[in-house]
Amino acid sequence: MADDDEKTIVNAQITESKKERWENAVDSDGKYPSMSHLIRVAVEDQLNEDESGEPDTPSEVSIDFDMDTVIDELDVRFDEVYDRLDRIEASADAQQQDESSLTTEIIDIIPSLPDRDAARMWIDQRTDADGNLNNEYISADEEGRAIASATRLANYLDEDEGVVRQACYRIDKSGQRFWTARENGETWLFNLTNE
């Protein structure tokens, strides 16, 4: 048997009629001061009987049960769960802020073109005959660098390519004038000004 100072909670499911019978045994003559004591005595008696062939007497079993200690332990465990939930919520909030910041950065960098035909031409000009990226960093307008491919956006922003690709899809689904194209195994994002 385990050290008497170590306690472990064990749960069991029983029918309502057995529960009432056990409660009556606890309430009847004080032989069993609690349901836990009744269960411990019965289990130990059965195990001892199985081992020796003789029934064990209840007086051989010692009970050390303090409900206040159990309640205190439950309070500590609930506090730990609430702390974990708070950390998860804070992490989710930080991730949402990071995604919002990434979305803004991507929108500032992608090219603004009149329509999908212009976007397709952009893709054709920035891929070679094998579909590999070549000169995408060429400026789309006077304001500077414009990048449309998720691969190059990820490199430029020093972000994970999968995260950038997902951000591109979220931007596309935002209901504004953004369009995501999937060409040559690459994800491209454009701001279409005339659509």
Side-chain angles (χ1 to χ4, degrees), residues 17-49:
S17 61
K18 277 188 184 173
K19 181 182 173 211
E20 289 175 10
R21 182 173 172 222
W22 293 5
E23 287 173 340
N24 289 337
V26 170
D27 295 336
S28 65
D29 61 1
K31 182 177 176 181
Y32 307 106
S34 69
M35 181 73 74
S36 296
H37 184 251
L38 168 69
I39 294 168
R40 283 191 209 100
V41 169
V43 169
E44 283 300 318
D45 284 351
Q46 184 64 48
L47 292 174
N48 288 333
E49 185 178 338

Side-chain angles (χ1 to χ4, degrees), residues 118-136:
R120 285 187 188 93
M121 194 164 67
W122 171 278
I123 294 170
D124 290 341
Q125 291 172 351
R126 282 153 183 81
T127 53
D128 61 22
D130 296 326
N132 298 317
L133 292 173
N134 53 24
N135 62 347
E136 186 180 6

Side-chain angles (χ1 to χ4, degrees), residues 45-97:
D45 284 351
Q46 184 64 48
L47 292 174
N48 288 333
E49 185 178 338
D50 289 347
E51 291 172 358
S52 67
E54 298 178 14
D56 195 11
T57 60
S59 61
E60 293 180 29
V61 177
S62 171
I63 181 77
D64 228 359
F65 183 81
D66 182 11
M67 185 58 90
D68 291 335
T69 302
V70 171
I71 291 172
D72 290 343
E73 288 176 18
L74 287 173
D75 282 343
V76 168
R77 289 183 183 170
F78 279 126
D79 287 344
E80 290 170 354
V81 169
Y82 288 130
D83 288 344
R84 277 189 238 148
L85 288 173
D86 287 343
R87 287 193 302 271
I88 290 169
E89 185 177 335
S91 175
D93 289 345
Q95 182 178 0
Q96 189 174 23
Q97 288 173 349

